[in-house]
Amino acid sequence: MNAEPGTDRREEGQEARRLKAVRQLALLDTPPEKRFDRLIRLAGSIFDVSIALITLIDDQRIWFKSRRGIAFESIPREEASFCVQSLREPEMLVVDDARGDARFASLSLVTKPPFVRFYAGAVLRSEEGEPLGTLCIMDNRPRELTERQRTILLDLARLAESEMRFSDVSSRERSGAQIRANRDPLLHCMTRQGMSDLLDEFIHERPVTPAAGWLLSVELHDWHALNLRYNAEVENELLIMVHDRLHVALAGRQLSIARAQPNRLVALIGSPPDEVLIAGVRKLLAEPCQVADHTITPRLRLWTVPVPQGITAGRELLPVLHYLDRQYPWPTDGLQYLDAAHWLPSLHRRRTIRQRLPRLFENDGLTMYYQPRLDLVPHRLSGLEALLRWQDDQLGHVSPLEILDIANEAGLSRDLDMWVVRRVIRQLVQWRDAGRQLVPVSINLLPDQLRYDAFAGWLADELQQQGIAGELLEFEILEHVVINDFHGVVANMRQLAALGVRFALDDFGTGYSALAYLNRMPVDVLKIDRAFIQSIVEDVQAAALVRSIIEIGHNAGLTIVAEGVETLGQYLILRAHGCHAVQGFLLAPPSAADTVSDWLEWPALLSPPKLAMSASLHADPSEK
């Protein structure tokens, strides 16, 4: 059958657009970069293959931006080559056995070294959807990919695409200049700093009463998702339309509009936002937006925030908007309108906590509770997790999240960490002097502490003065903290590890980012995030993911701890999959030091009878 008229021309036009997109990346013939190399190392490790590549395909060759297992940096473009064929696929090309596939059996990669038999390549696309190349894996033996493995390979490709979209250095510089400037270059309105200055003037010139002024905050949801689904140009046009509509709706009422965050607009008005005004704003913002060829109904959140009493500077008010956003889940679609007036008591509470927190370090107003960790084989108490508590006559119970959030905001996170570590060490001394058998205590270490070069020296002095071994401390750290400052953080971790301190990677499973770094970090423990544990009984996928994490930990020689274990079913599944230890309300809630002292004296009291019986019934004879 002959091709339809114009088919060749359409294909030529598509290839021209694709080649233009490849050139615009400005990545061809550039030196290797760690951000791409670590993705390739990760792919090779996860799939256990001999070759992993990130390729870009121009009109003459297939060039390797990052490579593992191949010495050369490019190969000539062949019409039937693996990667070129992949570009014709919506997402991925998988070849189980190239020798048995007529399309590829005669390729030099198949008939000559490296003798490729298996190939899987996920297509990398530009923001406009043009195919650029692949993230691919190859092996010299036939293979098959499971659905889960296909999903992981696609996830790695999406990460590679995200890195490519940040390759334009001048774009990053413009973004930084935009944040620093007094005027936003996209919307031609104030920036966050400009609004802070305006609020300072407003507060200074007017008596701050509940009727003195209001902020209207409009946040555009899924900012990064919009960029991935469409592109930056569509994303920016959408924000411009939202800004213009807000400007029209507030005509005659606004003092000024600012872009307080990339996806947040803030308007300061000097009169109460009555029902007519709010109805007009909601009507305009709820209408679909026609951007290029797309009809988009953005998900927006509209807050009205009275400038509260007690605010003395504009910089105190704008962070409140971020705090408020965390109090409500986003709607599934459309515009969400919320009045922040009833949140003013919470804001007052937040300011009170911030004012009083520094004094708590001096008068010991904070206390520590401890939650047990139970080894599954053998069935015994193996550790404790230290948890912060604050019970106040005026404020009542202040949650650890409140404390940590405000400490970080106030620049007190390092002081808080050092107070917690010192308190735990002194508690270990008390238990030791009471004749208890000590077990390691894990402490959640805040990001700022891992970047503090003097922390290891300070800790060494504390341990020596109290006569406590470093092996009795375990610091829990988050994946993203290590990844964001790998070299600085790991250098400090190694100094602490030299004291005997152990490290646990907390909330593991929320992303694949740390996998490539595991063998380069002094990490001893992986803690599986409680979100996965909660659903492992009824959710097959969650159970499979937990099993995979456990396998990763076993292969890396690490101890695996599951958090948030609340049911016997969860306990039995984890035990069957080879999880080393668990903690959660099934065993015991966080408890005061006196209760822990009893656990350390009589470990058998830790386990509910039904749990101990279950463990006994399901234990292997060799374990008894």
Side-chain angles (χ1 to χ4, degrees):
M1 181 179 294
N2 295 328
E4 295 180 6
T7 298
D8 291 342
R9 234 172 313 180
R10 284 199 301 272
E11 291 179 350
E12 289 175 4
Q14 291 170 356
E15 179 63 4
R17 289 193 299 273
R18 194 194 70 77
L19 292 173
K20 180 180 179 182
V22 171
R23 290 192 293 270
Q24 285 179 338
L25 280 179
L27 284 176
L28 286 171
D29 299 309
T30 57
E33 293 182 61
K34 291 181 179 179
R35 59 198 176 113
F36 293 109
D37 292 344
R38 66 172 176 255
L39 287 174
I40 288 310
R41 286 197 302 272
L42 179 57
S45 174
I46 290 175
F47 296 100
D48 189 26
V49 292
S50 56
I51 298 171
L53 304 167
I54 291 178
T55 73
L56 294 173
I57 303 173
D58 64 13
D59 56 341
Q60 299 291 329
R61 60 187 172 151
I62 302 172
W63 181 76
F64 308 145
K65 174 58 185 173
S66 182
R67 64 187 190 272
R68 170 182 172 171
I70 284 184
F72 38 89
E73 64 178 21
S74 68
I75 57 175
R77 174 172 173 165
E78 300 174 12
E79 187 60 25
S81 69
F82 293 114
C83 291
V84 173
Q85 184 68 27
S86 295
L87 299 189
R88 301 190 178 104
E89 302 294 330
E91 289 187 329
M92 178 186 300
L93 172 68
V94 178
V95 180
D96 296 336
D97 189 349
R99 286 187 185 176
D101 193 319
R103 296 172 298 173
F104 310 110
S106 61
L107 288 179
S108 59
L109 284 176
V110 177
T111 59
K112 300 176 183 179
F115 299 109
V116 173
R117 298 286 299 278
F118 164 79
Y119 172 89
V123 182
L124 302 176
R125 296 186 182 276
S126 68
E127 291 178 314
E128 294 77 21
E130 297 295 340
L132 307 168
T134 65
L135 189 153
C136 62
I137 53 176
M138 296 182 247
D139 211 346
N140 55 11
R141 64 187 190 277
R143 296 274 297 273
E144 291 183 0
L145 286 187
T146 65
E147 285 303 315
R148 179 178 173 277
Q149 289 173 324
R150 288 171 181 259
T151 300
I152 292 175
L153 187 60
L154 287 172
D155 287 342
L156 291 174
R158 300 296 84 81
L159 290 173
E161 289 175 346
S162 297
E163 290 295 339
M164 288 178 174
R165 290 169 186 172
F166 285 96
S167 294
D168 185 347
V169 176
S170 63
S171 175
R172 292 200 300 272
E173 292 174 347
R174 287 195 300 271
S175 177
Q178 174 177 324
I179 295 172
R180 294 189 296 271
N182 288 329
R183 304 291 294 181
D184 183 87
L186 176 67
L187 303 177
H188 306 292
C189 65
M190 284 185 173
T191 60
R192 180 188 182 93
Q193 184 59 50
M195 178 56 76
S196 291
D197 294 343
L198 179 63
L199 281 167
D200 285 346
E201 296 176 12
F202 180 81
I203 292 167
H204 178 72
E205 293 176 359
R206 301 189 183 199
V208 181
T209 67
W214 281 260
L215 286 180
L216 269 67
S217 168
V218 177
E219 184 185 8
L220 186 61
H221 188 44
D222 285 342
W223 184 248
H224 296 295
L226 284 168
N227 188 292
L228 292 173
R229 182 175 180 181
Y230 302 104
N231 56 56
E233 184 177 349
V234 169
E235 183 183 46
N236 288 338
E237 285 295 323
L238 183 61
L239 185 63
I240 290 171
M241 294 186 71
V242 173
H243 168 271
D244 292 347
R245 291 181 180 186
L246 182 62
H247 193 281
V248 170
L250 296 178
R253 302 286 291 273
Q254 70 196 54
L255 294 178
S256 189
I257 295 179
R259 188 180 185 185
Q261 289 173 250
N263 62 327
R264 185 194 299 282
L265 304 176
V266 176
L268 175 63
I269 61 175
S271 57
D274 53 37
E275 292 183 5
V276 174
L277 176 66
I278 295 301
V281 173
R282 295 178 68 179
K283 182 177 183 299
L284 281 175
L285 294 182
E287 293 178 358
C289 298
Q290 189 67 37
V291 183
D293 297 328
H294 308 286
T295 301
I296 305 173
T297 302
R299 293 169 65 190
L300 300 168
R301 171 173 283 161
L302 171 65
W303 280 102
T304 54
V305 186
V307 178
Q309 291 177 308
I311 288 290
T312 59
R315 63 179 178 273
E316 296 180 40
L317 187 53
L318 290 180
V320 164
L321 300 172
H322 178 65
Y323 166 74
L324 291 172
D325 281 328
R326 290 182 298 171
Q327 309 310 311
Y328 281 97
W330 273 92
T332 55
D333 54 24
L335 172 69
Q336 183 183 48
Y337 168 61
L338 298 164
D339 184 351
H342 70 281
W343 280 102
L344 292 184
S346 298
L347 302 181
H348 176 71
R349 173 186 174 86
R350 189 174 180 85
R351 289 196 300 274
T352 302
I353 293 173
R354 178 169 178 149
Q355 292 165 0
R356 296 180 57 186
L357 188 57
R359 297 196 294 272
L360 295 177
F361 303 140
E362 303 170 3
N363 59 22
D364 286 342
L366 300 171
T367 57
M368 300 303 301
Y369 271 46
Y370 301 86
Q371 188 168 38
R373 176 192 298 176
L374 185 73
D375 271 357
L376 299 183
V377 181
H379 200 266
R380 62 180 175 84
L381 175 66
S382 60
L384 302 163
E385 180 175 356
L387 299 166
L388 196 61
R389 294 293 183 266
W390 178 11
Q391 187 67 33
D392 183 81
D393 293 339
Q394 177 186 350
L395 295 168
H397 173 68
V398 183
S399 75
L401 290 179
E402 284 183 287
I403 299 171
L404 298 177
D405 187 25
I406 295 172
N408 184 60
E409 180 185 287
L412 297 171
S413 58
R414 188 178 297 165
D415 294 332
L416 179 61
D417 257 351
M418 295 172 79
W419 183 92
V420 169
V421 173
R422 188 183 290 115
R423 174 56 67 92
V424 168
I425 292 174
R426 280 156 178 70
Q427 184 60 64
L428 285 167
V429 170
Q430 292 179 29
W431 287 329
R432 180 195 63 192
D433 294 347
R436 302 297 184 258
Q437 183 175 351
L438 301 183
V439 295
V441 179
S442 63
I443 300 169
N444 289 278
L445 208 61
L446 294 172
D448 197 36
Q449 200 64 264
L450 281 176
R451 303 185 185 101
Y452 182 36
D453 293 338
F455 180 57
W458 174 86
L459 180 61
D461 291 341
E462 287 288 323
L463 292 171
Q464 184 177 17
Q465 289 174 17
Q466 302 300 326
I468 292 295
E471 288 80 1
L472 289 172
L473 294 183
E474 178 181 285
F475 291 142
E476 297 188 15
I477 58 177
L478 299 173
E479 290 184 64
H480 71 85
V481 174
V482 181
I483 305 308
N484 290 344
D485 184 15
F486 182 78
H487 295 291
V489 166
V490 170
N492 288 338
M493 288 174 66
R494 287 174 177 153
Q495 291 186 53
L496 293 165
L499 301 175
V501 174
R502 288 159 50 92
F503 284 94
L505 204 57
D506 199 11
D507 294 343
F508 191 80
T510 56
Y512 293 103
S513 57
L515 284 176
Y517 295 83
L518 279 179
N519 63 339
R520 298 164 59 192
M521 296 187 294
V523 170
D524 309 281
V525 178
L526 294 186
K527 299 195 78 173
I528 305 176
D529 184 62
R530 66 181 64 245
F532 296 107
I533 303 303
Q534 289 173 353
S535 56
I536 59 172
V537 174
E538 63 276 0
D539 189 334
V540 175
Q541 290 184 337
L545 180 57
V546 169
R547 184 169 61 250
S548 299
I549 294 172
I550 293 173
E551 290 174 359
I552 290 170
H554 285 172
N555 293 335
L558 304 177
T559 299
I560 311 299
V561 178
E563 297 183 291
V565 178
E566 299 178 356
T567 70
L568 188 58
Q570 295 167 353
Y571 170 90
L572 293 176
I573 289 175
L574 290 165
R575 193 174 190 281
H577 290 333
C579 186
H580 295 118
V582 295
Q583 66 182 72
F585 277 76
L586 178 67
L587 312 177
S591 302
D594 291 343
T595 301
V596 176
S597 183
D598 293 336
W599 296 341
L600 295 173
E601 185 176 14
W602 302 102
L605 294 178
L606 176 68
S607 304
K610 64 177 182 180
L611 183 57
M613 182 180 297
S614 173
S616 175
L617 290 174
H618 291 82
D620 293 333
S622 60
E623 298 170 0
K624 294 182 180 179

